[in-house]
Amino acid sequence: MSTENPRAEERETRTTAPAPGLLPTLDAPAPERADAARNRRRILDAAARIVAERGPDAVTMNQVAHASGIGVGTVYRRFGDVSQLLWALLDDRERRFQEAYMSGPPPLGPGAPTAERLDAFLDALVDRVAEQREILLAAHSAAPRARYHSGAYRLMHTHVALLIGQLRPGADGALLAHLLLAPFSPDVMHHLAVEQELSGERLKAGVRELLTLRQGS
């Protein structure tokens, strides 16, 4: 589904939680036949086992086909490539994250002052990327630009742009939202958290400090 209508997303955050399966970001497939749904579940479960046992770098379409007992042609038809398969593995966790910031309790969800919601969202995003860093990094490495065309990114961008617009009316919220989300690219977060050995708390503090650099000038 499209997430390009900020007003629709804003109305949604002010009302009730969206019904499961109606989140406007995950590009959910049309209703499936029972056998197709079972095959999809078997493929995703097989991929998840490979990730858990050997890491995301070990995931190949042939390996998943073998582990699931489903023909490799079917695996390709369902998911296209390894990148899309890895993104699909993140789907359930992404739905929970979306529900939290769109309709969950404040400060991450509606009801808190805008600045607090933005801080809470960025803190939660640090945790989200850390929790799924290996899969996110593998998916990003396979198709670096896919992140920006995913439904999950589009909704995050719309949400952050709305918050920026409330904080700074007249600002270019769409551009600023892209720039604010840029450090959360999996490769950047991997570099900071793993290669630079920065803790999640230090990353959260750094993001907040970045947002206030010019307040004292």
Side-chain angles (χ1 to χ4, degrees):
M1 300 183 195
S2 173
T3 60
E4 296 177 359
N5 184 346
R7 293 185 182 278
E9 193 268 353
E10 184 177 21
R11 286 196 300 271
E12 189 168 35
T13 62
R14 291 178 178 176
T15 57
T16 58
L22 296 182
L23 291 172
T25 63
L26 295 178
D27 301 324
E32 297 175 297
R33 300 188 317 271
D35 59 339
R38 285 194 297 271
N39 283 345
R40 176 182 172 84
R41 186 72 266 159
R42 285 169 61 189
I43 292 168
L44 289 175
D45 288 347
R49 289 195 301 272
I50 293 171
V51 170
E53 294 169 3
R54 289 178 279 165
D57 289 343
V59 176
T60 69
M61 303 302 261
N62 286 335
Q63 288 279 1
V64 170
H66 177 75
S68 65
I70 293 173
V72 67
T74 299
V75 176
Y76 272 103
R77 283 193 297 273
R78 292 307 306 268
F79 295 99
D81 57 28
V82 169
S83 172
Q84 293 180 59
L85 178 55
L86 290 172
W87 284 114
L89 282 176
L90 298 166
D91 181 87
D92 289 340
R93 179 62 184 86
E94 187 61 46
R95 285 180 181 273
R96 292 196 295 270
F97 181 48
Q98 291 172 3
E99 288 168 358
Y101 71 76
M102 290 177 66
S103 55
L108 183 56
T114 302
E116 290 184 21
R117 286 198 72 191
L118 183 58
D119 284 346
F121 175 82
L122 296 174
D123 284 354
L125 191 54
V126 169
D127 293 335
R128 163 89 178 93
V129 175
E131 179 183 335
Q132 300 290 325
R133 183 170 51 241
E134 287 191 3
I135 300 179
L136 285 167
L137 184 62
H140 178 79
S141 297
R145 291 183 295 278
R147 171 179 184 248
Y148 305 103
H149 300 287
S150 68
Y153 181 85
R154 291 198 302 270
L155 184 58
M156 286 194 295
H157 175 267
T158 299
H159 179 66
V160 172
L162 282 169
L163 295 179
I164 291 172
Q166 293 167 12
L167 286 171
R168 296 288 178 88
D172 188 344
L175 171 61
L176 295 178
H178 281 305
L179 295 175
L180 188 53
L181 291 171
F184 294 93
S185 176
D187 55 337
V188 175
M189 294 299 287
H190 177 83
H191 171 70
L192 294 175
V194 177
E195 297 173 2
Q196 296 295 313
E197 299 182 344
L198 301 181
S199 68
E201 292 308 311
R202 187 170 176 189
L203 291 173
K204 294 174 186 178
V207 171
R208 294 192 184 196
E209 186 173 0
L210 185 64
L211 292 177
T212 61
L213 276 179
R214 297 198 61 184
Q215 285 187 358
S217 61

PDB file of all heavy atoms in Angstrom, residues 123-149:
ATOM      1  N   ASP A 123      15.451   6.826  19.354  1.00  0.00           N
ATOM      2  CA  ASP A 123      15.974   5.840  20.304  1.00  0.00           C
ATOM      3  C   ASP A 123      15.529   4.429  19.920  1.00  0.00           C
ATOM      4  O   ASP A 123      16.327   3.482  19.927  1.00  0.00           O
ATOM      5  CB  ASP A 123      15.471   6.155  21.717  1.00  0.00           C
ATOM      6  CG  ASP A 123      16.198   7.321  22.359  1.00  0.00           C
ATOM      7  OD1 ASP A 123      17.170   7.822  21.759  1.00  0.00           O
ATOM      8  OD2 ASP A 123      15.783   7.734  23.459  1.00  0.00           O
ATOM      9  N   ALA A 124      14.248   4.292  19.594  1.00  0.00           N
ATOM     10  CA  ALA A 124      13.716   2.980  19.230  1.00  0.00           C
ATOM     11  C   ALA A 124      14.342   2.482  17.938  1.00  0.00           C
ATOM     12  O   ALA A 124      14.552   1.268  17.763  1.00  0.00           O
ATOM     13  CB  ALA A 124      12.192   3.050  19.097  1.00  0.00           C
ATOM     14  N   LEU A 125      14.658   3.393  17.032  1.00  0.00           N
ATOM     15  CA  LEU A 125      15.269   2.993  15.767  1.00  0.00           C
ATOM     16  C   LEU A 125      16.691   2.480  15.985  1.00  0.00           C
ATOM     17  O   LEU A 125      17.124   1.533  15.321  1.00  0.00           O
ATOM     18  CB  LEU A 125      15.249   4.160  14.787  1.00  0.00           C
ATOM     19  CG  LEU A 125      15.609   3.845  13.335  1.00  0.00           C
ATOM     20  CD1 LEU A 125      14.752   2.708  12.783  1.00  0.00           C
ATOM     21  CD2 LEU A 125      15.457   5.097  12.477  1.00  0.00           C
ATOM     22  N   VAL A 126      17.422   3.093  16.914  1.00  0.00           N
ATOM     23  CA  VAL A 126      18.751   2.574  17.266  1.00  0.00           C
ATOM     24  C   VAL A 126      18.622   1.126  17.740  1.00  0.00           C
ATOM     25  O   VAL A 126      19.368   0.232  17.302  1.00  0.00           O
ATOM     26  CB  VAL A 126      19.414   3.438  18.354  1.00  0.00           C
ATOM     27  CG1 VAL A 126      20.669   2.743  18.899  1.00  0.00           C
ATOM     28  CG2 VAL A 126      19.787   4.811  17.806  1.00  0.00           C
ATOM     29  N   ASP A 127      17.654   0.876  18.632  1.00  0.00           N
ATOM     30  CA  ASP A 127      17.454  -0.483  19.143  1.00  0.00           C
ATOM     31  C   ASP A 127      17.011  -1.433  18.034  1.00  0.00           C
ATOM     32  O   ASP A 127      17.450  -2.589  17.979  1.00  0.00           O
ATOM     33  CB  ASP A 127      16.403  -0.474  20.258  1.00  0.00           C
ATOM     34  CG  ASP A 127      16.881   0.255  21.505  1.00  0.00           C
ATOM     35  OD1 ASP A 127      18.110   0.333  21.723  1.00  0.00           O
ATOM     36  OD2 ASP A 127      16.019   0.752  22.263  1.00  0.00           O
ATOM     37  N   ARG A 128      16.144  -0.947  17.168  1.00  0.00           N
ATOM     38  CA  ARG A 128      15.618  -1.781  16.069  1.00  0.00           C
ATOM     39  C   ARG A 128      16.747  -2.233  15.145  1.00  0.00           C
ATOM     40  O   ARG A 128      16.847  -3.412  14.793  1.00  0.00           O
ATOM     41  CB  ARG A 128      14.605  -0.949  15.291  1.00  0.00           C
ATOM     42  CG  ARG A 128      14.247  -1.480  13.909  1.00  0.00           C
ATOM     43  CD  ARG A 128      13.094  -2.432  13.962  1.00  0.00           C
ATOM     44  NE  ARG A 128      12.752  -2.875  12.613  1.00  0.00           N
ATOM     45  CZ  ARG A 128      13.228  -3.970  12.047  1.00  0.00           C
ATOM     46  NH1 ARG A 128      14.067  -4.742  12.676  1.00  0.00           N
ATOM     47  NH2 ARG A 128      12.872  -4.317  10.821  1.00  0.00           N
ATOM     48  N   VAL A 129      17.614  -1.312  14.757  1.00  0.00           N
ATOM     49  CA  VAL A 129      18.711  -1.665  13.855  1.00  0.00           C
ATOM     50  C   VAL A 129      19.705  -2.580  14.557  1.00  0.00           C
ATOM     51  O   VAL A 129      20.218  -3.533  13.957  1.00  0.00           O
ATOM     52  CB  VAL A 129      19.402  -0.394  13.321  1.00  0.00           C
ATOM     53  CG1 VAL A 129      20.611  -0.753  12.472  1.00  0.00           C
ATOM     54  CG2 VAL A 129      18.420   0.438  12.490  1.00  0.00           C
ATOM     55  N   ALA A 130      19.961  -2.331  15.843  1.00  0.00           N
ATOM     56  CA  ALA A 130      20.902  -3.182  16.581  1.00  0.00           C
ATOM     57  C   ALA A 130      20.376  -4.614  16.682  1.00  0.00           C
ATOM     58  O   ALA A 130      21.129  -5.583  16.503  1.00  0.00           O
ATOM     59  CB  ALA A 130      21.134  -2.606  17.971  1.00  0.00           C
ATOM     60  N   GLU A 131      19.091  -4.757  16.935  1.00  0.00           N
ATOM     61  CA  GLU A 131      18.512  -6.084  17.134  1.00  0.00           C
ATOM     62  C   GLU A 131      18.571  -6.930  15.870  1.00  0.00           C
ATOM     63  O   GLU A 131      18.781  -8.140  15.931  1.00  0.00           O
ATOM     64  CB  GLU A 131      17.048  -5.923  17.572  1.00  0.00           C
ATOM     65  CG  GLU A 131      16.312  -7.233  17.790  1.00  0.00           C
ATOM     66  CD  GLU A 131      14.853  -7.011  18.150  1.00  0.00           C
ATOM     67  OE1 GLU A 131      14.528  -5.931  18.682  1.00  0.00           O
ATOM     68  OE2 GLU A 131      14.041  -7.912  17.890  1.00  0.00           O
ATOM     69  N   GLN A 132      18.397  -6.299  14.712  1.00  0.00           N
ATOM     70  CA  GLN A 132      18.350  -7.027  13.446  1.00  0.00           C
ATOM     71  C   GLN A 132      19.526  -6.675  12.540  1.00  0.00           C
ATOM     72  O   GLN A 132      19.448  -6.830  11.326  1.00  0.00           O
ATOM     73  CB  GLN A 132      17.035  -6.701  12.721  1.00  0.00           C
ATOM     74  CG  GLN A 132      15.785  -7.061  13.490  1.00  0.00           C
ATOM     75  CD  GLN A 132      15.589  -8.566  13.582  1.00  0.00           C
ATOM     76  OE1 GLN A 132      15.910  -9.287  12.645  1.00  0.00           O
ATOM     77  NE2 GLN A 132      15.063  -9.039  14.691  1.00  0.00           N
ATOM     78  N   ARG A 133      20.644  -6.234  13.141  1.00  0.00           N
ATOM     79  CA  ARG A 133      21.728  -5.653  12.362  1.00  0.00           C
ATOM     80  C   ARG A 133      22.272  -6.596  11.294  1.00  0.00           C
ATOM     81  O   ARG A 133      22.505  -6.188  10.155  1.00  0.00           O
ATOM     82  CB  ARG A 133      22.864  -5.198  13.282  1.00  0.00           C
ATOM     83  CG  ARG A 133      24.015  -4.518  12.548  1.00  0.00           C
ATOM     84  CD  ARG A 133      24.998  -3.883  13.506  1.00  0.00           C
ATOM     85  NE  ARG A 133      25.421  -4.800  14.536  1.00  0.00           N
ATOM     86  CZ  ARG A 133      25.225  -4.596  15.846  1.00  0.00           C
ATOM     87  NH1 ARG A 133      24.601  -3.508  16.254  1.00  0.00           N
ATOM     88  NH2 ARG A 133      25.638  -5.462  16.741  1.00  0.00           N
ATOM     89  N   GLU A 134      22.466  -7.857  11.633  1.00  0.00           N
ATOM     90  CA  GLU A 134      23.092  -8.769  10.671  1.00  0.00           C
ATOM     91  C   GLU A 134      22.213  -8.985   9.437  1.00  0.00           C
ATOM     92  O   GLU A 134      22.698  -8.963   8.302  1.00  0.00           O
ATOM     93  CB  GLU A 134      23.413 -10.100  11.339  1.00  0.00           C
ATOM     94  CG  GLU A 134      24.588 -10.026  12.307  1.00  0.00           C
ATOM     95  CD  GLU A 134      25.048 -11.405  12.731  1.00  0.00           C
ATOM     96  OE1 GLU A 134      24.488 -12.395  12.230  1.00  0.00           O
ATOM     97  OE2 GLU A 134      25.962 -11.497  13.557  1.00  0.00           O
ATOM     98  N   ILE A 135      20.909  -9.188   9.673  1.00  0.00           N
ATOM     99  CA  ILE A 135      20.026  -9.393   8.529  1.00  0.00           C
ATOM    100  C   ILE A 135      19.867  -8.111   7.733  1.00  0.00           C
ATOM    101  O   ILE A 135      19.875  -8.114   6.499  1.00  0.00           O
ATOM    102  CB  ILE A 135      18.654  -9.921   8.987  1.00  0.00           C
ATOM    103  CG1 ILE A 135      18.814 -11.257   9.707  1.00  0.00           C
ATOM    104  CG2 ILE A 135      17.721 -10.088   7.795  1.00  0.00           C
ATOM    105  CD1 ILE A 135      17.514 -11.838  10.217  1.00  0.00           C
ATOM    106  N   LEU A 136      19.720  -6.987   8.428  1.00  0.00           N
ATOM    107  CA  LEU A 136      19.599  -5.702   7.733  1.00  0.00           C
ATOM    108  C   LEU A 136      20.841  -5.424   6.894  1.00  0.00           C
ATOM    109  O   LEU A 136      20.743  -4.968   5.750  1.00  0.00           O
ATOM    110  CB  LEU A 136      19.386  -4.570   8.751  1.00  0.00           C
ATOM    111  CG  LEU A 136      18.001  -4.472   9.377  1.00  0.00           C
ATOM    112  CD1 LEU A 136      18.041  -3.538  10.585  1.00  0.00           C
ATOM    113  CD2 LEU A 136      16.977  -3.979   8.368  1.00  0.00           C
ATOM    114  N   LEU A 137      22.010  -5.711   7.457  1.00  0.00           N
ATOM    115  CA  LEU A 137      23.252  -5.459   6.735  1.00  0.00           C
ATOM    116  C   LEU A 137      23.357  -6.360   5.513  1.00  0.00           C
ATOM    117  O   LEU A 137      23.769  -5.919   4.433  1.00  0.00           O
ATOM    118  CB  LEU A 137      24.450  -5.664   7.655  1.00  0.00           C
ATOM    119  CG  LEU A 137      25.820  -5.333   7.066  1.00  0.00           C
ATOM    120  CD1 LEU A 137      25.904  -3.858   6.687  1.00  0.00           C
ATOM    121  CD2 LEU A 137      26.928  -5.683   8.065  1.00  0.00           C
ATOM    122  N   ALA A 138      22.975  -7.621   5.673  1.00  0.00           N
ATOM    123  CA  ALA A 138      23.036  -8.545   4.537  1.00  0.00           C
ATOM    124  C   ALA A 138      22.078  -8.118   3.437  1.00  0.00           C
ATOM    125  O   ALA A 138      22.423  -8.128   2.251  1.00  0.00           O
ATOM    126  CB  ALA A 138      22.713  -9.955   4.999  1.00  0.00           C
ATOM    127  N   ALA A 139      20.864  -7.715   3.810  1.00  0.00           N
ATOM    128  CA  ALA A 139      19.895  -7.259   2.812  1.00  0.00           C
ATOM    129  C   ALA A 139      20.378  -5.981   2.135  1.00  0.00           C
ATOM    130  O   ALA A 139      20.268  -5.815   0.920  1.00  0.00           O
ATOM    131  CB  ALA A 139      18.540  -7.033   3.470  1.00  0.00           C
ATOM    132  N   HIS A 140      20.953  -5.086   2.921  1.00  0.00           N
ATOM    133  CA  HIS A 140      21.462  -3.833   2.375  1.00  0.00           C
ATOM    134  C   HIS A 140      22.631  -4.087   1.429  1.00  0.00           C
ATOM    135  O   HIS A 140      22.731  -3.471   0.362  1.00  0.00           O
ATOM    136  CB  HIS A 140      21.901  -2.923   3.523  1.00  0.00           C
ATOM    137  CG  HIS A 140      22.500  -1.619   3.084  1.00  0.00           C
ATOM    138  ND1 HIS A 140      21.736  -0.550   2.668  1.00  0.00           N
ATOM    139  CD2 HIS A 140      23.788  -1.216   2.984  1.00  0.00           C
ATOM    140  CE1 HIS A 140      22.530   0.445   2.335  1.00  0.00           C
ATOM    141  NE2 HIS A 140      23.778   0.066   2.515  1.00  0.00           N
ATOM    142  N   SER A 141      23.512  -5.019   1.797  1.00  0.00           N
ATOM    143  CA  SER A 141      24.671  -5.318   0.953  1.00  0.00           C
ATOM    144  C   SER A 141      24.242  -5.933  -0.373  1.00  0.00           C
ATOM    145  O   SER A 141      24.850  -5.672  -1.415  1.00  0.00           O
ATOM    146  CB  SER A 141      25.619  -6.262   1.694  1.00  0.00           C
ATOM    147  OG  SER A 141      26.126  -5.651   2.865  1.00  0.00           O
ATOM    148  N   ALA A 142      23.187  -6.749  -0.331  1.00  0.00           N
ATOM    149  CA  ALA A 142      22.716  -7.393  -1.558  1.00  0.00           C
ATOM    150  C   ALA A 142      22.076  -6.394  -2.511  1.00  0.00           C
ATOM    151  O   ALA A 142      22.184  -6.533  -3.736  1.00  0.00           O
ATOM    152  CB  ALA A 142      21.725  -8.506  -1.212  1.00  0.00           C
ATOM    153  N   ALA A 143      21.419  -5.380  -1.966  1.00  0.00           N
ATOM    154  CA  ALA A 143      20.737  -4.382  -2.807  1.00  0.00           C
ATOM    155  C   ALA A 143      20.716  -3.068  -2.042  1.00  0.00           C
ATOM    156  O   ALA A 143      19.740  -2.749  -1.359  1.00  0.00           O
ATOM    157  CB  ALA A 143      19.326  -4.834  -3.149  1.00  0.00           C
ATOM    158  N   PRO A 144      21.796  -2.259  -2.109  1.00  0.00           N
ATOM    159  CA  PRO A 144      21.938  -1.075  -1.258  1.00  0.00           C
ATOM    160  C   PRO A 144      20.799  -0.062  -1.363  1.00  0.00           C
ATOM    161  O   PRO A 144      20.466   0.591  -0.384  1.00  0.00           O
ATOM    162  CB  PRO A 144      23.270  -0.464  -1.730  1.00  0.00           C
ATOM    163  CG  PRO A 144      24.028  -1.609  -2.299  1.00  0.00           C
ATOM    164  CD  PRO A 144      22.995  -2.500  -2.925  1.00  0.00           C
ATOM    165  N   ARG A 145      20.203   0.075  -2.541  1.00  0.00           N
ATOM    166  CA  ARG A 145      19.165   1.096  -2.701  1.00  0.00           C
ATOM    167  C   ARG A 145      17.767   0.575  -2.396  1.00  0.00           C
ATOM    168  O   ARG A 145      16.813   1.355  -2.366  1.00  0.00           O
ATOM    169  CB  ARG A 145      19.207   1.671  -4.117  1.00  0.00           C
ATOM    170  CG  ARG A 145      20.458   2.510  -4.377  1.00  0.00           C
ATOM    171  CD  ARG A 145      20.435   3.138  -5.755  1.00  0.00           C
ATOM    172  NE  ARG A 145      20.494   2.129  -6.815  1.00  0.00           N
ATOM    173  CZ  ARG A 145      21.620   1.560  -7.238  1.00  0.00           C
ATOM    174  NH1 ARG A 145      22.773   1.878  -6.677  1.00  0.00           N
ATOM    175  NH2 ARG A 145      21.605   0.650  -8.201  1.00  0.00           N
ATOM    176  N   ALA A 146      17.642  -0.726  -2.160  1.00  0.00           N
ATOM    177  CA  ALA A 146      16.313  -1.290  -1.916  1.00  0.00           C
ATOM    178  C   ALA A 146      15.670  -0.710  -0.661  1.00  0.00           C
ATOM    179  O   ALA A 146      14.446  -0.578  -0.598  1.00  0.00           O
ATOM    180  CB  ALA A 146      16.401  -2.808  -1.807  1.00  0.00           C
ATOM    181  N   ARG A 147      16.479  -0.369   0.326  1.00  0.00           N
ATOM    182  CA  ARG A 147      15.958   0.175   1.584  1.00  0.00           C
ATOM    183  C   ARG A 147      15.052   1.371   1.337  1.00  0.00           C
ATOM    184  O   ARG A 147      13.992   1.506   1.959  1.00  0.00           O
ATOM    185  CB  ARG A 147      17.134   0.581   2.470  1.00  0.00           C
ATOM    186  CG  ARG A 147      16.764   1.354   3.733  1.00  0.00           C
ATOM    187  CD  ARG A 147      18.005   1.686   4.538  1.00  0.00           C
ATOM    188  NE  ARG A 147      17.683   2.336   5.788  1.00  0.00           N
ATOM    189  CZ  ARG A 147      17.968   3.606   6.069  1.00  0.00           C
ATOM    190  NH1 ARG A 147      18.607   4.340   5.171  1.00  0.00           N
ATOM    191  NH2 ARG A 147      17.646   4.122   7.233  1.00  0.00           N
ATOM    192  N   TYR A 148      15.450   2.241   0.411  1.00  0.00           N
ATOM    193  CA  TYR A 148      14.733   3.501   0.220  1.00  0.00           C
ATOM    194  C   TYR A 148      13.442   3.335  -0.565  1.00  0.00           C
ATOM    195  O   TYR A 148      12.624   4.255  -0.627  1.00  0.00           O
ATOM    196  CB  TYR A 148      15.657   4.512  -0.466  1.00  0.00           C
ATOM    197  CG  TYR A 148      16.937   4.684   0.310  1.00  0.00           C
ATOM    198  CD1 TYR A 148      18.121   4.075  -0.111  1.00  0.00           C
ATOM    199  CD2 TYR A 148      16.956   5.392   1.507  1.00  0.00           C
ATOM    200  CE1 TYR A 148      19.289   4.194   0.619  1.00  0.00           C
ATOM    201  CE2 TYR A 148      18.113   5.516   2.245  1.00  0.00           C
ATOM    202  CZ  TYR A 148      19.278   4.912   1.798  1.00  0.00           C
ATOM    203  OH  TYR A 148      20.426   5.014   2.533  1.00  0.00           O
ATOM    204  N   HIS A 149      13.247   2.156  -1.144  1.00  0.00           N
ATOM    205  CA  HIS A 149      12.016   1.885  -1.884  1.00  0.00           C
ATOM    206  C   HIS A 149      11.098   0.937  -1.123  1.00  0.00           C
ATOM    207  O   HIS A 149      10.028   0.604  -1.617  1.00  0.00           O
ATOM    208  CB  HIS A 149      12.363   1.299  -3.259  1.00  0.00           C
ATOM    209  CG  HIS A 149      13.207   2.205  -4.095  1.00  0.00           C
ATOM    210  ND1 HIS A 149      12.714   3.339  -4.692  1.00  0.00           N
ATOM    211  CD2 HIS A 149      14.526   2.165  -4.397  1.00  0.00           C
ATOM    212  CE1 HIS A 149      13.687   3.951  -5.347  1.00  0.00           C
ATOM    213  NE2 HIS A 149      14.795   3.263  -5.178  1.00  0.00           N
TER     214      HIS A 149
END
